Amino acid sequence: MGESKKQVSVLGLGRMGAALAGALLGAGHDVTVWNRSPVKAGPLLDRGARLAATPAEAASADVVISCLSTYDTQQPVLDAAALPGRTLVNLTSGTPEQARGVAKWAADQGIGYVDGVIMAVPQGIGTPEARILYGGSETAFTAQRDVLSVLGEPVFLGEDAGLAALYDLALLGMMWSTMGGYLHALALVGTEGVTPERFTPMALPWLSAVSGFLPGIGAQVASGDYATDVSALDINAAGLALLVETSRAQGINPAVPAVFRELFDRAVAAGHGAHAIASVIEEIR
Ligand code: NAP
């Protein structure tokens, strides 16, 4: 890859770190890896990576990518790496406050800091489906964009280092709500012997139709105008009551819809019965 070949270090070779290092090797970069358990580096060394015996030995690269299990496990590794003058790209998952804390630590030491979250599984790294969201130093991000593009589509959100973690948790929350709803649905139809194989072909186009409502809900949240001639909240709250009641009657745990039932009922009690579902945000904020 000629002139754009860079020295890149990866700290952490768990499932995700190993995938990141593998993609960088595949793109022809000069890759150094460090992991607490060096044995995990084996397949990467076979592909041309260099093994650092300590985090400090990995610190002389153009860019150092960190992907460890948590911020608590990461900080001692970063302290040991001695990164002043380098660019650190932190891909360990955490909270916005944790990200801002590392950003301050990095700024105090003259480390260029980019904080990212990976919206993909390890198998997706290096494919067009992988998207990685970044916040922090735009200068450092732009300088390393070529390297970061190898891992997945890079999206820069802004200079606040906590933004990527905020988006990550918001998007994961949507994923967990959807998966929780799907599991509840499988449990409910399963009480009558309907298999996932039979039900899922109904669920997929339904989910796709539901996703089509999101821009409209978002626009109502943005404007605060909850008027609707489509579907009022009180009808949906009544539907949730039916779902909770039926779940109980069929002998399954109603916890998933019960959370939404409580929120919808509170919004109706607050006077939003004739408004759109978007008005429930008033009970969440
Ligand atoms: P993992 O397979 O469990 O790997 C964890 C990594 O952290 C390993 O390199 C492990 O080293 C290291 N580690 C744990 N405790 C340590 C300690 N006390 N000191 C030093 N190193 C320590 O996890 P993963 O799936 O790669 O996830 C890594 C990060 O990526 C997490 O923050 C995760 O949320 C994020 N992420 C993962 C995915 C995914 O689908 N896997 C998707 C998006 C984001 P050893 O090998 O020595 O145990």
Side-chain angles (χ1 to χ4, degrees):
M1 59 180 294
E3 289 178 1
S4 58
K5 178 172 167 168
K6 281 188 173 168
Q7 292 190 330
V8 187
S9 286
V10 178
L11 303 175
L13 299 177
R15 293 168 192 85
M16 187 53 88
L20 300 172
L24 292 163
L25 283 169
H29 289 295
D30 184 353
V31 179
T32 298
V33 294
W34 174 85
N35 197 49
R36 176 180 63 172
S37 315
V39 65
K40 288 192 186 165
L44 296 164
L45 303 186
D46 292 344
R47 293 179 58 196
R50 191 175 73 83
L51 181 65
T54 63
E57 272 187 37
S60 62
D62 297 315
V63 55
V64 175
I65 296 173
S66 177
C67 189
L68 294 155
S69 50
T70 64
Y71 273 65
D72 288 343
T73 57
Q74 175 176 253
Q75 194 56 49
V77 175
L78 297 182
D79 286 330
L83 296 167
R86 306 285 164 206
T87 293
L88 170 65
V89 177
N90 174 15
L91 296 180
T92 298
S93 300
T95 67
E97 274 320 295
Q98 285 177 317
R100 291 183 189 120
V102 179
K104 183 176 182 317
W105 168 89
D108 289 346
Q109 300 192 49
I111 300 167
Y113 185 67
V114 181
D115 192 280
V117 297
I118 302 169
M119 306 312 301
V121 294
Q123 291 72 13
I125 294 301
T127 72
E129 285 77 49
R131 180 175 265 190
I132 307 188
L133 313 182
Y134 295 97
S137 164
E138 189 161 15
T139 309
F141 169 80
T142 304
Q144 304 305 338
R145 193 184 184 111
D146 53 345
V147 171
L148 301 179
S149 297
V150 167
L151 309 175
E153 182 196 349
V155 180
F156 189 75
L157 300 171
E159 294 258 346
D160 174 357
L163 269 181
L166 192 70
Y167 272 64
D168 185 38
L169 294 171
L171 290 168
L172 288 173
M174 286 184 65
M175 181 186 79
W176 290 321
S177 296
T178 305
M179 288 179 173
Y182 175 58
L183 292 172
H184 182 269
L186 290 184
L188 185 60
V189 296
T191 61
E192 300 295 349
V194 178
T195 62
E197 192 184 11
R198 258 178 75 196
F199 182 75
T200 304
M202 295 288 171
L204 288 176
W206 177 239
L207 200 55
S208 167
V210 170
S211 73
F213 292 127
L214 298 191
I217 293 175
Q220 288 192 305
V221 167
S223 68
D225 177 359
Y226 303 128
T228 181
D229 54 8
V230 179
S231 177
L233 186 63
D234 54 7
I235 294 298
N236 285 275
L240 271 165
L242 295 177
L243 176 57
V244 169
E245 187 186 308
T246 303
S247 300
R248 285 205 184 98
Q250 296 292 108
I252 67 165
N253 186 338
V256 175
V259 167
F260 297 104
R261 182 190 184 185
E262 195 216 324
L263 280 169
F264 279 43
D265 282 352
R266 283 169 53 159
V268 170
H272 292 294
H275 290 157
I277 285 177
S279 62
V280 174
I281 197 161
E282 302 289 346
E283 294 302 316
I284 299 174
R285 277 178 175 150

